[in-house]
Amino acid sequence: MPALVIAAHGSHLNPGSHDPAFAHADTIRAAGAFEEVREAFWKEEPSFREVLRTLDSEQIYVVPLFVSEGYFTEQVIPRELRLEEWDVADWNSEGTDADHVTLTAEDVGKTVHYCGPAGTHESMTDVIVQRAESVTGDPDVGEGFGLAVVGHGTKRNENSAKATEYHAERVRETGRFEEVHALFMDEEPEVDDVTEFFESDDVVVVPLFVADGYHTQEDIPEDMGLTDDYREGYDIPTEVDGTRIWYAGAVGTEALMADVLLERAADAGADVGNALDLVRQRTGGTAAAGD
Amino acid sequence: MNDAQLHALREAATDGVSCDGLRAERTEDGYTFATPEATHEGLDEAGFDALAEANPWLVSNWHVWADASGARAAYCRWIERADDLGVRERYEALVEGLSREWGQLLVTAELGEDGGRVYELRHVDDANAEPDALALHDDPLDAREIATLDADGRYRPLKTAPTLQRGWRFAALDGRDLVRTVEFFYPATVANWQREREGDLDVTHFRETAERQTGIYDVVDELDPEGVENLARACCVDSQCLKRREWDEDDEAELDAPRGDGEFPCREPCSLVIAAARQWAILESEDSRTYEFELTPSEKTQLEEIVGAVAEGRTDEIREADVGDGANRYRARYLRAKLTDEDGSFENVSGGQ
Ligand code: SF4
């Protein structure tokens, strides 16, 4: 039976950074679709460099737990896994279309089905909506509510913005929320001015980030005016300029995220049996550990 | 030994069995059953069974290892010293338990039912602790949580730092779960140890690793040979990391820094070392200058003691009233009050800024 590797960033400084990868791996393990499920990290161990040799399986599905295509999915992960035949052109992607390619990892001679990042999969849109449900405690949230999807945004990686806009557009198309906007930390339109972009009295803000950390716990709440000092905390919702802001924290901590990882592997040909159903049952509406 | 094991041995004898001194074969002339002491040939089934019954350890030992292969089997056999001890000696010792250290882990193999193996895992410093005094775990995944923080609650970014917290044990693990647990504590160590034993460890030296770096780590390859030497001395010694460093500057240039005495090899600079190397590559790109300032001989010694205490992580241990220690907090504060301005910069230093 094949193995699944969840490739995440991790951190040298913040132990909470690995929690989503651990939690989603545990969910997928419990669903039993893979003989082995292993987390691997850029900043923690097992490193991308060494994870493949710890697995018995000859067929390995690797899904990056990253929100967008770019430096990590195109350069770092393929290089560190020693996928020497890798060529980014094989993605044939405009920034949000990466699906999968099958390559050989040179050091172990195993077959690697290298998948696009979790963050650009279409089912990620469902996770964003689920996050809005979780934070409001309302499974029908939408009427009278605006939704902001917040991306990092940066000059270095334009795909980060593309992923944010892609999901904002998909949520908008469902017509479920009164208004949907993509906002950014580092570029226009900025999350600082969130209330200016919405007419609704209630706005759910969902950052398209994998783990809670500096940006989602300190920067964004302060920038939006939820609090002057993140250490003092804030209420959910908090009223800012007459708008109630329901701040959701990193979308990657939502339990349903495990479903996206599985879907990526299934799209790449993994036989996941009824695991998708099991995972959706288990994660629908409940928050992940470490949330 | 049980009936299933005996039956399996009879079946396997058709293809020939050889394991730790036991040899069993079936040919047209009947069965062969050989122990380290004697070889019996031309046996009928009853004779074969009788010899198996008389050597239950040999049979169950064969059964334990019959289907095992790869790194996991090599590791489990290493724990019970299968290459050094005969089956009888080993079984006698396994009743009490045979232990090995693996970093800060103490792995103990014991005999389970019908000669099977069960493993216990705990911190080496808890070797003599009563089992009840240690928190009991049976899920390998728990190791991830235990390994995340040290005893003071500080994050451990390097899994092989010698700061594993104590007070837990994993009991009654089978071989598969044992290796999974060990690998959650010390990822990839079993795989790389096994590669090394087979003469197959793929070491990537510093230069090659540095040249591969991109993005903000691109500068790492600017660290000069002396910097690489200091990097290994700062990070890759037993007091900081339990892996045995097998990488050097490159194929030709061996580093003088001690490699460490660890059981498992380090085949490539880790991400923490690369992050540190980046910092030093940036710092080392500055030109040096000459500074002049006055210190008493004791103050010079004191600065050396402060650097030493911080580098060894010893500052927490220096007692408040131990003003004889140069790195004592009050001593350091006195020196600061005497030599620096409100910003903490040295006053009256000429030559620098
Ligand atoms: S590079 Fe040094 S610090 Fe890092 S794992 Fe290897 S020996 Fe340890």
Side-chain angles (χ1 to χ4, degrees):
Chain A
M1 232 153 98
L4 175 70
V5 169
I6 298 173
H9 191 282
S11 164
H12 290 153
L13 298 171
N14 170 15
S17 171
H18 59 214
D19 288 347
F22 284 1
H24 306 319
D26 290 352
T27 304
I28 294 170
R29 267 187 205 104
F34 292 90
E35 181 74 30
E36 306 170 271
V37 179
R38 192 64 162 114
E39 315 86 347
F41 300 96
W42 173 232
K43 296 282 195 167
E44 298 178 36
E45 298 155 89
S47 60
F48 299 153
R49 202 73 185 146
E50 298 201 319
V51 65
L52 299 180
R53 64 186 57 200
T54 69
L55 302 166
D56 293 333
S57 310
E58 296 294 323
Q59 296 279 330
I60 301 168
Y61 293 83
V62 177
V63 183
L65 182 53
F66 283 80
V67 293
S68 58
E69 294 174 25
Y71 179 57
F72 283 100
T73 59
E74 291 172 4
Q75 290 188 44
V76 174
I77 300 174
R79 178 187 81 212
E80 299 292 300
L81 292 176
R82 286 171 262 213
L83 306 178
E84 267 145 56
E85 300 288 305
W86 162 255
D87 180 348
V88 65
D90 294 345
W91 279 140
N92 193 17
S93 173
E94 298 287 320
T96 55
D97 322 313
D99 186 2
H100 71 273
V101 292
T102 299
L103 300 158
T104 302
E106 298 294 328
D107 63 324
V108 288
K110 296 179 180 184
T111 303
V112 172
H113 304 275
Y114 181 51
C115 302
T120 56
H121 194 271
E122 55 181 34
S123 60
M124 188 70 192
T125 309
D126 301 339
V127 184
I128 293 170
V129 172
Q130 173 94 44
R131 195 86 199 114
E133 294 174 13
S134 300
V135 71
T136 55
D138 177 2
D140 300 318
V141 62
E143 209 182 322
F145 271 76
L147 176 77
V149 184
V150 181
H152 193 292
T154 159
K155 282 137 224 118
R156 223 179 71 194
N157 175 10
E158 59 179 43
N159 288 339
S160 150
K162 282 186 185 164
T164 313
E165 277 154 4
Y166 168 74
H167 292 298
E169 178 58 30
R170 282 175 51 85
V171 180
R172 195 176 296 126
E173 278 168 10
T174 67
R176 173 169 175 164
F177 293 86
E178 304 286 330
E179 336 161 57
V180 181
H181 292 291
L183 304 178
F184 302 95
M185 284 183 56
D186 276 6
E187 64 184 60
E188 300 280 330
E190 287 196 8
V191 67
D192 306 31
D193 308 319
V194 57
T195 54
E196 288 176 18
F197 300 104
F198 289 89
E199 284 173 13
S200 316
D201 292 338
D202 289 276
V203 174
V204 181
V205 177
V206 181
L208 194 61
F209 285 72
V210 166
D212 272 318
Y214 174 66
H215 290 312
T216 61
Q217 289 175 322
E218 303 177 24
D219 260 11
I220 299 177
E222 288 183 7
D223 288 352
M224 286 194 302
L226 297 184
T227 175
D228 290 336
D229 181 346
Y230 74 93
R231 280 164 295 205
E232 286 163 15
Y234 47 85
D235 295 326
I236 296 173
T238 294
E239 190 158 321
V240 178
D241 299 334
T243 305
R244 275 186 300 276
I245 303 287
W246 301 73
Y247 181 58
V251 69
T253 62
E254 182 66 33
L256 187 61
M257 189 81 198
D259 173 71
V260 183
L261 297 165
L262 256 185
E263 300 238 20
R264 272 285 183 219
D267 292 350
D271 175 9
V272 299
N274 64 345
L276 281 166
D277 289 337
L278 286 173
V279 164
R280 283 199 205 107
Q281 269 168 29
R282 208 183 131 176
T283 60
T286 44
D291 184 11
Chain B
M1 185 188 78
N2 58 28
D3 286 350
Q5 292 171 355
L6 174 58
H7 186 73
L9 180 66
R10 252 194 256 124
E11 299 256 295
T14 318
D15 295 330
V17 161
S18 173
C19 173
D20 294 342
L22 168 71
R23 209 159 50 73
E25 271 170 30
R26 183 181 185 175
T27 63
E28 285 162 11
D29 305 329
Y31 287 98
T32 299
F33 190 102
T35 69
E37 290 82 32
T39 301
H40 309 266
E41 290 173 331
L43 301 164
D44 60 12
E45 197 170 295
F48 182 85
D49 287 3
L51 280 161
E53 302 279 357
N55 292 281
W57 293 348
L58 284 175
V59 178
S60 77
N61 181 67
W62 162 76
H63 194 259
V64 164
W65 304 117
D67 296 323
S69 66
R72 188 186 309 142
Y75 185 69
C76 290
R77 285 176 63 80
W78 174 79
I79 289 163
E80 64 180 65
R81 296 169 173 78
D83 294 337
D84 305 329
L85 302 179
V87 173
R88 173 176 289 272
E89 262 176 300
R90 228 189 308 149
Y91 269 58
E92 280 167 1
L94 281 168
V95 173
E96 293 293 308
L98 271 169
S99 294
R100 289 272 202 182
E101 288 187 15
W102 188 256
Q104 286 183 293
L105 302 177
L106 184 73
V107 188
T108 305
E110 285 176 41
L111 276 188
E113 266 175 43
D114 295 321
R117 306 290 193 271
V118 289
Y119 299 92
E120 203 234 33
L121 194 60
R122 57 170 75 185
H123 194 292
V124 276
D125 295 341
D126 287 331
N128 299 320
E130 291 298 325
D132 289 348
L134 303 172
L136 182 62
H137 297 266
D138 58 12
D139 185 348
L141 295 170
D142 292 355
R144 287 183 318 199
E145 307 308 325
I146 296 170
T148 295
L149 303 177
D150 70 12
D152 296 327
R154 280 181 302 216
Y155 179 42
R156 301 172 67 239
L158 184 66
K159 286 273 199 329
T160 44
T163 53
L164 191 62
Q165 57 175 298
R166 298 171 50 180
W168 47 267
R169 71 184 185 108
F170 288 79
L173 298 170
D174 62 16
R176 184 184 152 86
D177 277 352
L178 168 74
V179 174
R180 285 182 73 210
T181 312
V182 167
E183 287 265 302
F184 278 122
F185 278 114
Y186 296 144
T189 54
V190 173
N192 284 328
W193 168 86
Q194 163 73 349
R195 280 181 174 242
E196 183 179 53
R197 278 162 61 101
E198 305 211 309
D200 197 19
L201 184 69
D202 47 340
V203 173
T204 308
H205 295 292
F206 179 82
R207 287 289 163 221
E208 201 185 326
T209 305
E211 275 154 27
R212 200 177 72 231
Q213 304 302 315
T214 51
I216 61 166
Y217 297 102
D218 202 24
V219 297
V220 167
D221 60 359
E222 287 166 27
L223 199 63
D224 67 11
E226 198 187 337
V228 178
E229 182 68 45
N230 290 334
L231 169 76
R233 275 182 195 282
C235 305
C236 305
V237 295
D238 283 346
S239 68
Q240 308 303 313
C241 176
L242 298 169
K243 279 189 190 168
R244 172 172 28 86
R245 181 180 54 78
E246 286 302 313
W247 55 266
D248 285 290
E249 187 183 345
D250 56 33
D251 263 340
E252 266 107 62
E254 220 176 87
L255 300 175
D256 290 333
R259 294 186 180 279
D261 298 323
E263 202 63 62
F264 35 85
C266 172
R267 47 162 298 280
E268 179 173 340
C270 65
S271 74
L272 197 70
V273 157
I274 290 298
R278 168 176 180 261
Q279 193 66 44
W280 288 315
I282 294 167
L283 296 178
E284 294 286 3
S285 69
E286 285 178 34
D287 293 326
S288 62
R289 301 180 187 184
T290 303
Y291 297 87
E292 234 174 70
F293 59 119
E294 296 205 337
L295 296 173
T296 68
S298 299
E299 284 165 352
K300 174 177 167 292
T301 309
Q302 190 186 349
L303 285 180
E304 291 157 0
E305 286 179 8
I306 289 171
V307 172
V310 172
E312 294 305 325
R314 200 169 63 77
T315 51
D316 283 354
E317 294 158 27
I318 300 168
R319 286 167 299 170
E320 191 155 327
D322 188 5
V323 289
D325 191 318
N328 170 273
R329 183 154 41 109
Y330 291 114
R331 285 277 300 274
R333 290 176 67 85
Y334 185 90
L335 192 68
R336 181 175 69 173
K338 178 173 170 183
L339 296 181
T340 69
D341 58 23
E342 309 89 81
D343 302 329
S345 310
F346 283 119
E347 282 177 314
N348 305 322
V349 174
S350 60
Q353 288 171 3

